[in-house]
Structures are given as C-alpha cells and as structure tokens.
Amino acid sequence: MKAAAPVVCLVASIWAAVACGGSDSTSFSPGGTDGGDASASGGTSTGGASSGGSSASGGSGGSGNTANTGGLAGGGTGGDAGPTGCQSSADCAGNPGGPICETATGNCVGCLGASDCPSGQWCNTATKQCGAGCDEATDCSGATPLCDSATNTCVGCLADTDCPSGQICSSKACATGCSVTQPCPNSGDTCCTASCHDLQADVNNCGACGTACAAYPNAATSCASGACSMGACAVGFADCNESPSDGCEWNLTISACACKPGSTQSCYTGPAGTSGVGACKAGQQTCDASGLLWGPCLGQIVPSSEVCANNVDEDCNGTADDVPDTDGDGWTKCNGDCCETPAECSKPNKVNPGAFEVVGNQVDDDCDPATSDTVATADCATTAKLTGVTAQDVARAIDLCQFTTANPPPAQKKWGVITYQHLLPNGTAPTATALSEMQNWQTAVLQNYGTGGIVPTKGPTMAGISSGRMRDQNDAGYVNPNSGATFSTTTTPPPAYLAAHGNALPASAGCSGTCPAGSGANDPVNVRLTIRVPTNALSFSYKFRFFSSEYWTYQCTVFNDFYLALLTTGAAGIPADKNISFDSLNNPVSVNNGFFDLCAPKGCNTCPFGMGELAGTGMQLSNTGGGTKWLTTTAPVVPGEVITIEFMVFDVSDHILDSLTILDNWQWSLDPSSVGTTG
C-alpha cells in the first residue's frame, strides 16, 4: 500500500530544535546542562565539556561547533548547539530531499520502498526517489495490467499464462500463438514453434510441423488429410498427363487434353456399320502417358478381303464368301480371276478366266498358267473326216477349240463353244434323213480341197459345207458337182433374212448387171454354233472360200445358190439381215458375187486367178465351175456375251449344180472392227 505525505517537524526552542534534512542535511543534538553530549547514535557525556564538538556519532559539549554531519553540543561555556539529522519523517516536512526520513542516515529522501510512492510511481532504491513506473500491479491498468519488476514498467504480460487462450506472451505483450502452457484453442490444431496449425490442411505444415508442400508449375499446392498434393491448375493450363511431377504442364491454348492417362475405351477404325458384323469387332485403346492422345486400337478386326469358301464373312457385309468383283468383269479371286486391280495388271477387267490368251503380250490373259503366252493354241482337229461329221467337228476344224456350257460355275465360265447343231436354214431341226445327209455327205473336215493347192490357212484342217457332196475327185463318194447330188430336203431361207429383204431373197448387182434371185432353200446344210465371247475380245474374224458349179451356166439367173453367215450379237453395226459375209457391193455370196474370180473368163468375168486351184475339185471339168480366193470376214462382238453364228449353203430354185463353202482360221481380236469381207 502506498504511504501518505510526511509530517513537518517544529523546533520547540533553539536549543532543542529537530531539523528535517535531505540526503546531506544537518542534524541537530541538544547539549545537557551537565555537559553531556547528544548524537545521532544517542551518545551522552559524563560531564560538561569545556569545549564542545560535534560528530556524526555525537560529541561532547564544550564550546559548540556545527558540522555537515555533526550535531549541536552545548554545555558549560561551550559554543552554539546545531542540528544532528532527522529522527522521523516528520522531520522531513518540506525538505527538498524528500518527505521520508531515512533514520539510518538521518537523511530526508523521496522514498524507501514501494509504499512510499504514490500510485503510478515506483521507488528507485538507488536514488531513494519516486519515478514514473510501477513496482506493483496496482500501479498498472488497462492494456498493461501487470508490473514488470525488472523494468518497473507496466506490461501486458509476464508469462504465457497471463494471456487468454490462443495467445502467448511475446515481448511482454499478448499475441496470437501457443506454447506448452498455452495450447491451441482449436482442438484439431497442433502447436508448431509458437503458432497453431492444422496439420491436415496447412501447406506449410502438412502432416508434421515444418513439413512444407512443394510448389507445382502452373498449379496451386494443396494439403489434404495431412498429405501434400497438387491443387487446381492455373487458368489456361491443364494436367493432361495427371502427373504432379510436372504440374499443370499443358497449355490449353494449343489444344485440350484428349484423355486420362491409362484410361481405356472401345475403338473401331473400320467403316461405319461393320463393327459386330461377320468377323469384324471393336478393339480397345489406352490413353498414353501424356494424356494428349489415345494409343493404337488393339484387338479390333476390320473388314478384309474375303477368303474363298471358308464360310466366314471377312468383309463384314453380312454375307460370307462373297468375294467382290473389284474390276466388274464377272470373276473374283475365288473363281479364278488373277487380276482385280490396276496394281496387279494394266487391264484388270480384261484379264480373267473368260479371256482368250493373246500370244506374245507377256500377260496371262486367261489366268491359266498352263496356257502358253508364246505358242499358239494347239490344233484341235488334225485329221480329215468325211462321214459322221458333227457341228462340233466343224467348230474344231475352223480352230474354235474351246468348249463350255451355258451356265457353268464362275470358275469354269470360260469362253468357248456352248452348243453346236446341224439345223435347217429356217432354224428348225432336220429330219433324221436330212441330218444324216448333212453329217455324212454335206459336211466334211478337210486337209485339202482338190489338188490345186487349196489348203488350210491355219492348222492342218478346215471345214467344208456343201449343197451337194462335200468331196473332191480324190475322195470316196465323190459325185461331180456339175451333175448335182440331189437330197431329200426342201425348205425356206431364214425368216429374219427374208424379212430384211421384203420377204424374198435379195437380187445381186454384179458385173453382168442386176441379177434376179430365186426362192427356196433346197439341199441345205446349216451349222449353228453358240459361243461365249472372250471377255477381252472386241471382234472376231474367219476365212472362207466359196465355190459353185453354177458358173457360168446359171450366172445371173434365179438359180443362184447362197452362202450366208448369220450373226446374232449385241454389238452395234450388224446388218438388219444379220449376214456378215458379202462382197464389196453388199451382195450376198453367190455365183453373182463380186469376188468370184477363180474361173474361166466369160463375159464380164475376168477371172484374174485363173483355174489352176480348181484342179482335182471337179469344178474345172468342161470349164464349168468357179470360186473365190480366201476371203476374210470380220465382225464386232460384245466382250463376254453369247453369240450365235450360222454357216449355211443351200440351192435356190433347184436341186442341181451344187455350191460349197470352205471355212477356216477363226480368230478373236482385242481390237474393235466393223462388219465387212475383204479379199
């Protein structure tokens, strides 16, 4: 408790006055009548002093003297008495040294202890004076309620426990923090170096005090459940590879992330609508480590070329084993096509089993390695045949050596002769008698005709058809054509041919002028062949020679025997009457045709080839009979179509004076042509 102000001392008499002194004030001590001295230590004199003295511990009277620390001594006849120091605080009233008497020294001081100073001050024991500050808590208030005795200043705190929860004493002031004695107010926080932290979420103290999370490029740092992790990416960046090692590594201004690294998805690169059809199925692809693209599609099966006859739908169109005809030529790889694309050969749609082999072009045109590209097809008729000659024998003799059927399996759909028949000119079947006459007399396979050098132009044989007996003078059963060999058949010419000419045989315009035509078709022979055209053929040709014993007897009369070659095809440019063998004036081939120049001259007939080649034929007898040189007929066809060709000879208006035609050297051509006959 702080003391009240000191009491002022009053001097009763000059000899017994008590003075109040400061730290170096003068003390007074009264002298006795018996000469005894008084001092600050209460000393006495045993007799009067003849001479007074003063000392701090008292002196004996005599003549009294004063000193700074002495007292007044009197007695006898001694000197003046003086003050000896304060005895109580009352002695210090108004003393400049202070209101408190320090009895030990007799000095008046400002204070001797905390209680001597007023509230808000403290006692400096060194100077014994009060000063602003504190020496006990009652001197302090407000924000600094405690007294720091070491500095005698009011402070906010002296220890952590002086602060409220959540604060510690720092520099004598309460501040947010924690310590051993002042735990964190939030039970979930941990005290780390005087501050509270949530180790589950604090990026600077994640999981443990002082464990700071690393920074991530272009991304925030996060602490969750006591573990560091990468937080949200900065605007404009993404973590495509989902690896915190490089932060948000991808700049979205370039492109967006494609996928989550390691994630998988179904994939299929085949055409739409084919997955799940036939052998085709989806696969799976995995996102690569960068997150920027998907890896390859593994395990998928996309459409592929059909494998022949395995009952699997490899091209995934819903049908197994339907190998496509890429070049549109009617054949596929499964039925023998060795060329479907330009990469395989220069003309894919011209190379297949239906083509004919072109010798010397270095291409396997018919996709048959057994067919030579350097040697022509072997002859298919090598010996002469005079009886039992079928229409097939005729085909072989003229070098049509390949035969097929109307509807073979695709792999066997080659070009060739499909049917071969002996018919009447009007297309009807002959009687048994007529057929026998055709096969045993009117048709022949020849190695020569006569002895004048009429021989095949290709191979060892050629075919002959006649309205009489197809014989020369050296053959068994020969009958002179000039006398005629009468057979049993009387019929009509082809109806379509007649219709194209006003329902009559056409007249001829020869060197003798316009020659009339007769009627009927007597002693006829007709060889009809249906043929599948090679897929690479645009035309064909054949060679023939016409001979007639009507020269010159029936020239330019109604008795003019006809040779017709009627072609049925889809090609353009075929005459309406279908006849493709005629002379340069479009006359049918008869004794009146313009190519009749193997003969004995008569009238306008110059016969430039003479009669030499007629030797041995019987047509050189009596200078009657004549013929043509080898003529070549060409005609267009449609590749791969089925054509019909009819070779026929018949007597007109009578049964005598026979005519015949020799046929040979059928050839297919890659080149287009028009219809025509040339010598």
Side-chain angles (χ1 to χ4, degrees), residues 314-601:
E314 286 92 355
D315 63 3
C316 305
N317 68 348
T319 304
D321 298 333
D322 61 331
V323 178
D325 180 12
T326 305
D327 56 7
D329 64 359
W331 279 264
T332 69
K333 290 185 180 296
C334 287
N335 46 46
D337 196 347
C338 59
C339 177
E340 283 286 322
T341 66
E344 294 172 313
C345 66
S346 60
K347 295 181 178 180
N349 64 335
K350 298 295 184 181
V351 175
N352 51 58
F356 75 97
E357 188 66 31
V358 180
V359 176
N361 69 348
Q362 308 301 311
V363 176
D364 184 10
D365 303 273
D366 62 358
C367 295
D368 184 357
T371 305
S372 175
D373 187 58
T374 58
V375 178
T377 304
D379 299 316
C380 52
T382 58
T383 59
K385 188 176 183 180
L386 299 179
T387 59
V389 180
T390 66
Q392 184 183 43
D393 293 328
V394 172
R396 291 180 180 277
I398 65 174
D399 305 298
L400 278 170
C401 300
Q402 191 158 289
F403 294 81
T404 184
T405 59
N407 296 294
Q412 301 172 23
K413 193 176 181 181
K414 296 178 176 294
W415 73 269
V417 179
I418 299 173
T419 62
Y420 33 86
Q421 300 168 282
H422 274 106
L423 296 174
L424 297 179
N426 61 10
T428 61
T431 64
T433 299
L435 178 61
S436 176
E437 291 170 344
M438 291 180 188
Q439 292 182 336
N440 292 301
W441 296 113
Q442 295 179 268
T443 308
V445 176
L446 307 172
Q447 290 182 319
N448 60 274
Y449 179 55
T451 57
I454 301 175
V455 294
T457 60
K458 182 178 183 297
T461 61
M462 54 189 177
I465 54 176
S466 173
S467 61
R469 293 193 178 188
M470 189 61 248
R471 302 285 191 276
D472 65 23
Q473 290 176 295
N474 297 312
D475 297 326
Y478 166 77
V479 173
N480 188 334
N482 294 321
S483 61
T486 302
F487 296 114
S488 62
T489 305
T490 299
T491 185
T492 59
Y497 183 77
L498 293 177
H501 296 285
N503 295 315
L505 291 173
S508 299
C511 69
S512 300
T514 301
C515 301
S519 61
N522 302 325
D523 303 335
V525 57
N526 179 12
V527 174
R528 174 188 285 182
L529 306 176
T530 58
I531 307 167
R532 181 176 296 113
V533 176
T535 55
N536 56 343
L538 294 176
S539 63
F540 71 89
S541 64
Y542 77 94
K543 292 182 178 296
F544 74 95
R545 298 185 78 161
F546 178 73
F547 298 86
S548 178
S549 64
E550 291 185 333
Y551 181 81
W552 56 64
T553 304
Y554 286 157
Q555 191 175 33
C556 212
T557 70
V558 295
F559 305 105
N560 50 342
D561 298 348
F562 271 62
Y563 163 66
L564 299 177
L566 305 184
L567 174 66
T568 301
T569 175
I574 305 302
D577 64 8
K578 298 185 179 183
N579 184 38
I580 60 173
S581 293
F582 43 77
D583 69 13
S584 59
L585 297 177
N586 293 323
N587 295 310
V589 177
S590 71
V591 70
N592 299 318
N593 80 84
F595 294 120
F596 208 78
D597 46 18
L598 184 69
C599 53

Side-chain angles (χ1 to χ4, degrees), residues 66-78:
T66 59
N68 287 337
T69 60
L72 179 62
T77 62

Side-chain angles (χ1 to χ4, degrees), residues 151-181:
T151 62
N152 296 105
T153 57
C154 292
V155 295
C157 60
L158 295 172
D160 291 345
T161 53
D162 294 331
C163 296
S165 176
Q167 294 185 343
I168 58 173
C169 189
S170 176
S171 299
K172 305 298 175 65
C174 289
T176 301
C178 59
S179 67
V180 175
T181 59

Side-chain angles (χ1 to χ4, degrees), residues 222-306:
S222 175
C223 177
S225 300
C228 293
S229 62
M230 187 174 74
C233 291
V235 175
F237 290 88
D239 180 20
C240 290
N241 63 11
E242 297 193 351
S243 171
S245 62
D246 55 0
C248 295
E249 80 291 347
W250 190 248
N251 188 334
L252 292 175
T253 61
I254 299 175
S255 66
C257 299
C259 50
K260 179 180 179 180
S263 63
T264 59
Q265 69 174 12
S266 177
C267 57
Y268 186 70
T269 59
T274 59
S275 180
V277 178
C280 294
K281 66 176 184 177
Q284 191 175 72
Q285 60 187 159
T286 302
C287 183
D288 76 354
S290 72
L292 298 177
L293 70 159
W294 289 97
C297 189
L298 302 178
Q300 71 168 336
I301 298 178
V302 298
S304 61
S305 298
E306 286 283 322

